[in-house]
């Protein structure tokens, strides 16, 4: 596409080259604090999978500068609270994960005890006067939403409407048995980059030919720098192929292109033929569902220039337990791709700190980077 050409109707390409976000948005501590406040404390944040949190367990969570606990009771109900006692504010749980012997969370300081719904139950050793009511001193609650076997929490009250968060709609993964899947592998990396850099990299494939040679073998269109066929300069509405297909013979994102287990029953022919279904939930998570496995990739900012990246591979129990199942073969391609994206994100971060660089320019193909940046701008204004 030449600089002056105008995209076809129906093409996602931008008709101009807008400025990228200001460079200081990626490293300035004061701006980072603003993003924590306006983005990370206002939106639904991924907090792990339901199946990976055992019953009668308390798990610590650190999100957007808050010290929280996630609690699963004996019936499987999940709640989230600030990790703070209502007496004088002591931290309730200091271990990363605690199994509960009784249905109580007991403060280690003066032993105030709360039930697993957060209600204050007992205040031992103290005499209480008439101006103190236990029912006014339950744990500070945080909103929880379960979706497709994933736990999301939101620090805002009231929280935003969750149904609007998944970009393909809350029903996009209804044909996958999401709540039954087992986590076969979890990879956690700390990246030396701002969290937005990883999302920007996720939102374009101009880097694919140079950064992901193996992935481009499996998904040939990526080798042209496109995410979908309608990005091609010669695409017209008369050539309506918009999707992304795997190479002939390939059916999943594995090194060989072979699925690592049976197809999930219930997928439509279109879902199988597509090869991958991406669902994006800003600011924390994207999922990629294939015929044989699903992966969850999530981000958590640790500082202006530090981000935790977590990738989880989910399989049917029968696939994981099948004789000869090769976890390494199932995950190796994506592990490499995620490592390549992490390294590219760190490279981007190092370069944009030049005092000479104040903002980049987005090319027409970077329409989804632009859409993400517009989302960030709207969040910051809001
Ligand atoms: S601070 Fe928790 S019981 Fe005193
Ligand atoms: Fe990539």
């Amino acid at each position: 596409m030449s600089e002056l050409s105008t995209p076809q109707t129906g093409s996602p390409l931008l008709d101009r080259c807008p400025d990228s976000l200001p460079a200081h948005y990626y490293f300035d501590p004061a701006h980072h604090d603003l993003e924590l406040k306006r983005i990370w404390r206002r939106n639904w944040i991924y907090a792990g999978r339901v199946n990976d949190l055992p019953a009668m367990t308390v798990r610590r969570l650190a999100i957007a500068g808050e010290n929280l606990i996630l609690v699963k009771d004996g019936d499987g109900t999940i709640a989230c609270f600030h990790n703070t006692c209502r007496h004088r504010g002591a931290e309730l749980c200091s271990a990363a994960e605690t199994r509960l012997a009784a249905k109580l969370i007991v403060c280690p300081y003066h032993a105030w005890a709360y039930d697993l719904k957060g209600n204050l139950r007992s205040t031992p050793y103290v005499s209480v006067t008439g101006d103190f009511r236990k029912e006014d001193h339950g744990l500070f609650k945080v909103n929880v939403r379960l979706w497709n076997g994933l736990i999301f929490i939101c620090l805002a009250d009231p929280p935003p409407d969750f149904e609007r968060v998944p970009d393909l709609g809350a029903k996009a993964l209804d044909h996958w048995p999401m709540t039954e899947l087992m986590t076969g592998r979890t990879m956690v990396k700390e990246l030396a980059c701002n969290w937005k850099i990883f999302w920007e990299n996720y939102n374009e494939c101009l880097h694919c030919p140079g950064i992901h040679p193996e992935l481009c073998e499996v998904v040939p269109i990526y080798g042209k720098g496109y995410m979908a066929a309608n990005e091609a300069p010669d695409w017209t509405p008369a050539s309506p192929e918009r999707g992304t297909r795997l190479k002939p013979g390939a059916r999943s994102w594995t090194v060989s292109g072979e699925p690592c287990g049976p197809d999930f029953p219930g997928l439509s022919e279109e879902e199988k033929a597509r090869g991958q279904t991406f669902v994006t939930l800003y600011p924390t998570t994207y999922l990629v569902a294939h015929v044989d496995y699903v992966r969850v990739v999530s981000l958590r900012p640790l500082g202006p220039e530090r981000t935790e990246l977590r990738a989880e591979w989910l399989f049917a129990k029968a696939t994981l337990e099948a004789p000869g199942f090769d976890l390494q073969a199932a995950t190796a391609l994506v592990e490499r791709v995620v490592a390549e994206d992490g390294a590219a994100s760190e490279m981007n971060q190092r370069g944009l700190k030049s005092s000479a660089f104040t903002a980049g320019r987005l090319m027409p193909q970077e329409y989804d980077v632009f859409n993400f940046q517009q989302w960030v701008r709207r969040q910051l204004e809001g």
Side-chain angles (χ1 to χ4, degrees):
M1 172 159 178
S2 81
E3 265 185 62
L4 298 175
S5 65
T6 302
Q8 281 275 358
T9 305
S11 161
L13 303 192
L14 299 175
D15 61 1
R16 62 195 192 286
C17 295
D19 282 344
S20 191
L21 294 176
H24 76 273
Y25 277 27
Y26 300 88
F27 53 80
D28 176 57
H31 182 81
H32 183 67
D33 286 347
L34 185 68
E35 290 188 350
L36 292 185
K37 192 167 147 206
R38 298 252 167 103
I39 298 179
W40 290 85
R41 299 174 65 91
R42 281 186 179 170
N43 284 287
W44 288 101
I45 306 302
Y46 177 59
R49 294 193 65 239
V50 174
N51 286 352
D52 295 335
L53 182 65
M56 297 296 285
T57 298
V58 178
R59 180 182 291 165
R60 280 180 58 140
L61 286 180
I63 289 175
E66 292 288 0
N67 182 358
L68 309 175
I69 49 174
L70 205 54
V71 183
K72 193 184 210 182
D73 71 13
D75 299 325
T77 303
I78 294 176
C80 185
F81 306 105
H82 287 258
N83 191 4
T84 299
C85 178
R86 292 296 305 271
H87 175 212
R88 278 178 24 224
E91 181 180 63
L92 292 166
C93 300
S94 54
E97 196 161 300
T98 309
R99 296 301 291 273
L100 296 169
K103 295 178 181 175
L104 288 173
I105 297 167
V106 181
C107 178
Y109 204 177
H110 315 96
W112 283 27
Y114 303 85
D115 68 24
L116 303 191
K117 291 187 168 35
N119 303 305
L120 177 60
R121 289 294 178 197
S122 65
T123 56
Y125 315 120
V126 293
S127 54
V128 169
T129 51
D131 58 342
F132 181 87
R133 289 167 19 113
K134 275 195 198 132
E135 50 270 46
D136 295 338
H137 295 83
L139 298 179
F140 296 114
K141 280 200 170 90
V142 175
N143 291 295
V144 172
R145 167 78 197 226
L146 306 183
W147 177 75
N148 277 316
L150 312 183
I151 307 164
F152 287 84
I153 64 110
C154 182
L155 289 158
D157 204 17
D161 179 7
F162 184 87
E163 304 297 315
R164 298 163 64 113
V165 179
D167 68 330
L168 297 184
K171 299 173 114 13
L173 298 174
D174 277 5
H175 294 168
W176 277 265
M178 293 295 298
T179 56
E180 296 158 29
L181 300 181
M182 316 254 299
T183 306
R185 167 132 169 71
T186 300
M187 180 175 102
V188 182
K189 275 178 178 293
E190 188 176 319
L191 301 179
C193 69
N194 181 269
W195 65 276
K196 299 188 296 301
I197 291 276
F198 192 86
W199 275 122
E200 291 176 2
N201 175 78
Y202 165 82
N203 276 311
E204 51 89 359
C205 216
L206 293 175
H207 71 274
C208 294
I211 301 281
H212 303 307
E214 286 91 352
L215 178 61
C216 291
E217 286 273 310
V218 179
V219 190
I221 204 167
Y222 290 174
K224 298 178 179 174
Y226 312 152
M227 292 189 292
N230 62 345
E231 292 180 32
D234 55 355
W235 180 87
T236 73
S239 52
E241 178 64 70
R242 286 166 190 266
T244 305
R245 292 284 189 271
L246 307 185
K247 70 179 177 185
R251 302 191 60 247
S252 185
W253 280 36
T254 58
V255 175
S256 67
E258 288 285 315
C260 60
D263 290 2
F264 294 120
L267 300 185
S268 69
E269 288 310 311
E270 162 57 20
E271 284 162 340
K272 289 185 193 181
R274 202 186 295 153
Q276 63 268 304
T277 297
F278 278 83
V279 182
T280 305
L281 300 95
Y282 290 145
T284 44
T285 310
Y286 69 89
L287 293 98
V288 194
H290 302 286
V291 296
D292 54 337
Y293 78 96
V294 176
R295 65 182 174 279
V296 183
V297 179
S298 56
L299 301 179
R300 189 168 64 104
L302 303 175
E305 300 185 71
R306 289 196 306 133
T307 301
E308 182 188 85
L309 170 69
R310 173 179 292 261
E312 295 162 291
W313 283 259
L314 319 183
F315 303 90
K317 187 165 185 279
T319 297
L320 270 181
E321 292 174 353
F325 171 70
D326 185 346
L327 183 62
Q328 167 68 12
T331 61
L333 175 69
V334 169
E335 278 182 47
R336 183 165 305 181
V337 171
V338 170
E340 289 163 348
D341 282 329
S345 299
E346 292 180 330
M347 168 179 72
N348 195 167
Q349 181 77 28
R350 290 192 301 273
L352 62 69
K353 291 191 74 179
S354 161
S355 61
F357 181 84
T358 53
R361 295 290 299 279
L362 298 180
M363 297 295 106
Q365 290 79 1
E366 292 170 300
Y367 57 90
D368 263 345
V369 180
F370 179 70
N371 291 339
F372 168 71
Q373 294 188 347
Q374 289 294 77
W375 179 85
V376 170
R377 288 183 178 105
R378 285 195 302 275
Q379 297 277 314
L380 292 174
E381 281 165 12

